[in-house]
Amino acid sequence: MLSNCNRIIISIFPLPVLPQPALVGFQRYKKVKAHHHHHHPASPGPVGGRSMASPKNLTTNNHLRHVESMASLPSGAGKISHLNAVILGEALASEEDDLVFPSHDFSRQALIPSPQKVSFFPFFFLLPPSISLSLWNTYLEMYKRSIEDPAGFWSDIASQFYWKQRWQDHVYSENLDVRNGNVKIEWFKGGITNICYNCLDRNIEAGLADKIALYWEANEPGIDASLTYSQLLQRVCQLANYLKAIGVKKGDAVIVYLPMLLELPITMLACARIGAVHSVVFAGFSSESLAQRIVDCKPKAVITCNAVKRGPKTINLKDIVDAALVESAKDGVSVDVCLTYENQLAMKRQDTKWQEGRDIWWEDVVPKYPTTCDVVWVDAEDPLFLLYTSGSTGKPKGVLHTTGGYMVYTATTFKYAFDYKPNDVYWCTADCGWITGHSYVTYGPMLNGAKIVLFEGAPNYPHPGRCWDIVDKYKVTIFYTAPTLVRSLMRDGDEHVKRFSRKSLRVLGSVGEPINPSAWRWFFNVVGDSRCPISDTWWQTETGGFMITPLPGAWPQKPGSATFPFFGVQPVIVDEKGVEIEGECSGYLCVKSSWPGAFRTLYGDHERYETTYFKPFPGYYFTGDGCSRDKDGYHWLTGRVDDVINVSGHRIGTAEVESALVSHPQCAEAAVVGVEHEIKGQGIYAFVTLVEGVSYSEELRKSLILTVRNQIGAFAAPDKIHWAPGLPKTRSGKIMRRILRKIASRQLDELGDTSTLAEPGVVDQLIALADC
């Protein structure tokens, strides 16, 4: 390897910030750079831009600093001790500070190719020779153009989709600075299109009519179904025609409370086809949570099914919907139609509670409608869907996404972050009740004409190897899941993975929360046989699609790091005063400028939209997440900085859980914090003060947990109830959550100053009750 040093000279290791030592290093290596003579391959798609010349000077434009430093500058970090460079498929990732490089074959065929064989100062001696520097320029050119010319960059991509009418002169307009008036984001305004048409009709016209769109795998092994793109379009049109017949029009809301049946994406697409706004509610939310969402958007119809099997358990969804409709009617919102799919595998029709006049069986009406339905054309800025997400207050936020920008962004992020090829079989384990199911089960994949696996059941039922059984059955090539599931399967043991082939797997993905390095390495080494890159994606319900993510094949990975920004995304790390921090640092993650997939408002509450996301750091979108950037420019997400807990990738506001607990007649006060959890990432830890005279008991503990389950859903149930005679408060009455987090984590030697508490003795009482 060392004999090849003269062939791999220049460093292009990513570095968003330019420390002074790097300048010296660059001058030292600048002379030999001229020895490179490589041709520039054609860029993938219409956004390649022109070939990027070597920089003649070292002036770094602030907004392009990570691009320019990647193009030409060594990291300046000096040699990193204990560093192992790992080529995918050739060795195991094992050490904390591994760099994991894509294999030559993967990189050569990737949409965004890899620089792995160009020098990475100071690691170049570890790498094989003979890759063109210009390959790396593909990402650099595309990213550089996406920041310098976002209108041209996104116009070129958007032009690949069908538009009934092209957008107006301005591709986008934005104001992210509350000091300059109302926050406003618009992309492709005046462009007339339809996302359902682009997902289905456009693919059929392109010759994909007989290609499988959806494979459906039931909870019970051996029960499955599939739909081609033409069959899916027919089913979508039948439901769309029914919705029109009951009076659902463009702009009307439809609540969808369905499990992972084929009918869920069918319903989403049918709503989109006629310009209706779907609001999918995860079929694990309680009747009270569902009622809250019904009252908020006042839907023309609710679509559900009678029951679902989740593992061995039957969940009566229709009962939950019935209770929600009673609750919403008390608040003045009544729904005239409850369309119910008979899921015969879970419950028979005759066992389902029924309200004549309101409840209608899907199977009795929808199949009678025509299999063609005219498209309702909508403006790019017309609403597509509502999706509720937890905030730091008790009231969920109705995130509103519009049509055109979301369509372009989800399709593009899916294509590049998973290195999607037309023969791939793609499986995302997320439920369509969450944003991942919207962007990366339904819309993103279908806009690319992908084959998608839809799984109804539990990933460890009836055995811990069920996931890999499904992977082998459908020859899944791209597998996208949450760290929670990875940790759970990891705990079950390698043998449940290794008894299945998994040879079809090509790319792995992680979503929902930062994946810890040990889980990353297990996922990579055991599930992917050390040959599949991992797209460890960071994004949010609010962002619509990936923001910081590896591009498989494009650069080395560090286990646990989300790596670098996607095209058009400008992440910055700021301090408490909103000042951008350069170099290696930690702080608050914000985003400069808008991107097409950004949410446009919180439904019915634009003021809260501005207050939550744009007022903390004026001029930026504030993500609510902490982030570290290492000396090589890699981003490491450090979790929420507000009172939101990330449980199994689901954001749960502490205020929501606290208000549910306090609604219990025997609970006087509650404070909820997040703690590390081996499987879920974070667990919910609740400190509960009881009403005077009520004594602690196991029955009461269970009753409190049940209250939360009933009001929010099982996924929000506290993992631990900690009895609290009192809570640590300042003299002004503010609960000191910092102290509660330390007690919950048993970091009792790090409690810090407690002298400012109104009653310092409370802390000792809480410690004494820690294991009660």
Side-chain angles (χ1 to χ4, degrees):
M1 290 294 290
L2 289 175
S3 63
N4 294 317
C5 282
N6 64 329
R7 300 179 61 188
I8 44 176
I9 300 155
I10 171 156
S11 160
I12 52 169
F13 205 84
L15 177 72
V17 179
L18 182 58
Q20 288 307 308
L23 295 172
V24 179
F26 180 77
Q27 300 299 336
R28 196 176 299 142
Y29 288 90
K30 195 174 180 183
K31 188 176 177 184
V32 251
K33 182 178 176 179
H35 294 303
H36 274 285
H37 298 290
H38 293 300
H39 72 283
H40 180 69
S43 297
V47 292
R50 62 187 181 281
S51 180
M52 193 170 112
S54 300
K56 291 192 170 69
N57 59 61
L58 293 172
T59 305
T60 302
N61 293 335
N62 188 42
H63 66 292
L64 281 174
R65 59 188 180 279
H66 104 267
V67 167
E68 293 182 356
S69 59
M70 272 199 267
S72 58
L73 302 172
S75 78
K79 186 173 173 60
I80 297 174
S81 58
H82 313 301
L83 186 101
N84 297 313
V86 179
I87 305 298
L88 300 185
E90 293 178 16
L92 294 182
S94 57
E95 300 299 323
E96 285 292 334
D97 49 8
D98 278 338
L99 274 175
V100 184
F101 289 84
S103 70
H104 175 69
D105 285 346
F106 190 103
S107 171
R108 188 169 45 82
Q109 298 172 50
L111 294 175
I112 308 291
S114 167
Q116 104 254 9
K117 293 167 188 165
V118 186
S119 89
F120 273 69
F121 179 89
F123 325 123
F124 63 86
F125 60 87
L126 297 168
L127 306 176
S130 78
I131 195 169
S132 163
L133 173 62
S134 57
L135 288 179
W136 180 230
N137 284 350
T138 307
Y139 170 78
L140 296 180
E141 286 173 4
M142 290 176 72
Y143 186 85
K144 186 174 181 2
R145 185 180 176 217
S146 76
I147 300 305
E148 290 186 337
D149 177 24
F153 179 88
W154 290 111
S155 269
D156 285 351
I157 293 179
S159 298
Q160 300 171 46
F161 298 91
Y162 179 81
W163 298 83
K164 188 80 171 167
Q165 177 181 309
R166 200 174 159 84
W167 48 92
Q168 296 158 0
D169 294 343
H170 297 293
V171 175
Y172 71 101
S173 63
E174 63 180 30
N175 172 41
L176 272 58
D177 195 331
V178 288
R179 296 167 299 191
N180 297 333
N182 289 342
V183 172
K184 191 170 189 181
I185 298 168
E186 291 181 333
W187 283 81
F188 312 113
K189 178 78 171 168
I192 306 297
T193 188
N194 182 286
I195 198 169
C196 175
Y197 185 91
N198 277 286
C199 283
L200 302 179
D201 309 62
R202 174 173 148 268
N203 284 321
I204 290 166
E205 289 159 13
L208 302 184
D210 296 327
K211 181 177 181 177
I212 296 293
L214 290 168
Y215 290 111
W216 176 72
E217 177 78 8
N219 182 62
E220 295 295 334
I223 301 172
D224 52 37
S226 65
L227 291 172
T228 64
Y229 271 91
S230 60
Q231 290 169 332
L232 177 58
L233 176 59
Q234 290 173 0
R235 297 275 295 273
V236 165
C237 286
Q238 287 181 315
L239 180 59
N241 284 321
Y242 168 76
L243 291 173
K244 287 200 297 187
I246 63 169
V248 177
K249 302 183 297 298
K250 178 182 174 182
D252 288 340
V254 175
I255 287 270
V256 186
Y257 191 73
L258 281 167
M260 290 294 278
L261 304 172
L262 287 168
E263 284 65 29
L264 181 44
I266 286 170
T267 301
M268 294 165 68
L269 289 161
C271 290
R273 192 169 191 83
I274 61 172
V277 180
H278 59 72
S279 177
V280 182
V281 180
F282 172 56
F285 274 112
S286 69
S287 59
E288 289 190 29
S289 293
L290 177 57
Q292 205 173 16
R293 288 150 174 78
I294 291 170
V295 169
D296 204 44
C297 73
K298 302 173 180 55
K300 279 286 179 74
V302 173
I303 300 180
T304 188
C305 74
N306 53 350
V308 66
K309 294 276 281 189
R310 182 79 175 165
K313 187 180 176 187
T314 301
I315 302 163
N316 295 337
L317 296 181
K318 178 66 166 50
D319 288 356
I320 295 169
V321 172
D322 288 347
L325 290 173
V326 169
E327 200 64 35
S328 65
K330 290 178 188 171
D331 285 324
V333 178
S334 55
V335 180
D336 296 332
V337 177
C338 178
L339 183 68
T340 307
Y341 181 79
E342 182 189 356
N343 188 15
Q344 295 181 1
L345 296 170
M347 180 184 280
K348 299 298 180 209
R349 184 177 288 215
Q350 58 269 24
D351 298 325
T352 308
K353 291 176 186 169
W354 208 245
Q355 183 175 314
E356 291 299 336
R358 182 197 70 189
D359 298 347
I360 295 157
W361 287 112
W362 175 305
E363 290 89 338
D364 288 353
V365 291
V366 175
K368 294 177 181 174
Y369 282 84
T371 54
T372 59
C373 175
D374 290 342
V375 171
V376 174
W377 300 104
V378 301
D379 189 275
E381 283 301 323
D382 281 341
L384 174 63
F385 66 85
L386 270 177
L387 190 58
Y388 289 82
T389 182
S390 280
S392 53
T393 69
K395 186 173 183 273
K397 300 173 295 197
V399 168
L400 179 73
H401 280 284
T402 53
T403 303
Y406 174 84
M407 173 177 79
V408 171
Y409 198 70
T410 51
T412 310
T413 48
F414 174 82
K415 175 181 176 180
Y416 289 118
F418 294 122
D419 190 50
Y420 171 74
K421 308 288 173 57
N423 59 349
D424 276 318
V425 178
Y426 168 77
W427 179 22
C428 170
T429 64
D431 191 288
C432 287
W434 308 107
I435 186 65
T436 306
H438 285 58
S439 298
Y440 301 112
V441 172
T442 306
Y443 293 119
M446 284 189 194
L447 288 163
N448 282 279
K451 289 181 182 176
I452 303 154
V453 175
L454 208 65
F455 178 43
E456 177 197 18
N460 55 358
Y461 176 81
H463 56 79
R466 181 73 189 278
C467 281
W468 321 122
D469 195 8
I470 294 170
V471 164
D472 285 356
K473 176 176 177 178
Y474 296 104
K475 303 290 184 284
V476 171
T477 58
I478 305 171
F479 178 71
Y480 188 39
T481 193
T484 303
L485 179 60
V486 173
R487 287 189 291 266
S488 174
L489 297 171
M490 184 176 161
R491 190 178 64 172
D492 288 333
D494 297 5
E495 65 274 14
H496 297 293
V497 182
K498 292 182 173 176
R499 63 192 175 96
F500 297 95
S501 161
R502 296 160 285 107
K503 293 297 180 201
S504 59
L505 287 173
R506 195 173 70 81
V507 176
L508 301 174
S510 171
V511 60
E513 59 183 297
I515 184 169
N516 51 304
S518 60
W520 193 102
R521 284 191 296 276
W522 182 85
F523 198 27
F524 170 67
N525 290 332
V526 179
V527 174
D529 288 330
S530 310
R531 58 186 174 77
C532 303
I534 299 175
S535 285
D536 177 9
T537 61
W538 175 81
W539 59 299
Q540 301 174 313
T541 303
E542 294 89 344
T543 70
F546 305 146
M547 299 291 280
I548 304 177
T549 177
L551 301 183
W555 47 61
Q557 292 186 259
K558 296 185 180 186
S561 170
T563 68
F564 303 105
F566 191 74
F567 306 124
V569 177
Q570 298 184 59
V572 295
I573 297 174
V574 302
D575 64 17
E576 293 82 358
K577 294 175 182 172
V579 177
E580 288 185 33
I581 319 172
E582 303 289 359
E584 190 176 351
C585 63
S586 288
Y588 300 95
L589 181 62
C590 293
V591 182
K592 271 186 184 177
S593 299
S594 68
W595 59 98
F599 71 135
R600 304 307 197 242
T601 191
L602 292 177
Y603 184 69
D605 199 346
H606 197 73
E607 187 181 346
R608 187 180 180 196
Y609 169 75
E610 294 184 345
T611 301
T612 305
Y613 300 100
F614 298 96
K615 282 188 179 171
F617 302 107
Y620 302 98
Y621 164 73
F622 174 45
T623 67
D625 282 339
C627 184
S628 294
R629 185 172 51 221
D630 69 18
K631 58 185 171 292
D632 299 314
Y634 283 65
H635 293 82
W636 302 78
L637 276 297
T638 56
R640 302 294 298 174
V641 297
D642 56 12
D643 292 324
V644 175
I645 305 171
N646 194 328
V647 180
S648 301
H650 306 145
R651 274 163 46 178
I652 300 168
T654 56
E656 286 180 83
V657 182
E658 286 166 3
S659 62
L661 287 166
V662 172
S663 71
H664 190 287
Q666 292 176 306
C667 175
E669 195 172 22
V672 169
V673 297
V675 289
E676 280 190 34
H677 190 286
E678 181 189 3
I679 303 299
K680 300 176 184 177
Q682 277 191 299
I684 297 176
Y685 196 108
F687 292 85
V688 172
T689 303
L690 299 178
V691 170
E692 193 71 39
V694 176
S695 52
Y696 309 138
S697 69
E698 188 56 30
E699 291 71 31
L700 182 51
R701 189 193 306 272
K702 289 176 181 173
S703 177
L704 286 161
I705 292 170
L706 189 61
T707 299
V708 178
R709 290 174 69 102
N710 291 340
Q711 287 196 26
I712 304 174
F715 60 92
D719 298 279
K720 167 81 174 175
I721 300 282
H722 186 132
W723 303 122
L727 295 171
K729 295 177 183 176
T730 62
R731 292 181 182 88
S732 62
K734 182 184 174 186
I735 297 171
M736 296 287 282
R737 293 172 191 277
R738 169 183 62 80
I739 292 173
L740 293 179
R741 288 190 191 97
K742 296 297 183 185
I743 294 172
S745 303
R746 302 297 187 267
Q747 296 170 313
L748 303 181
D749 55 344
E750 300 175 25
L751 292 174
D753 182 20
T754 59
S755 62
T756 58
L757 295 178
E759 295 180 47
V762 165
V763 175
D764 293 330
Q765 290 178 305
L766 290 175
I767 292 170
L769 288 166
D771 297 311
C772 293

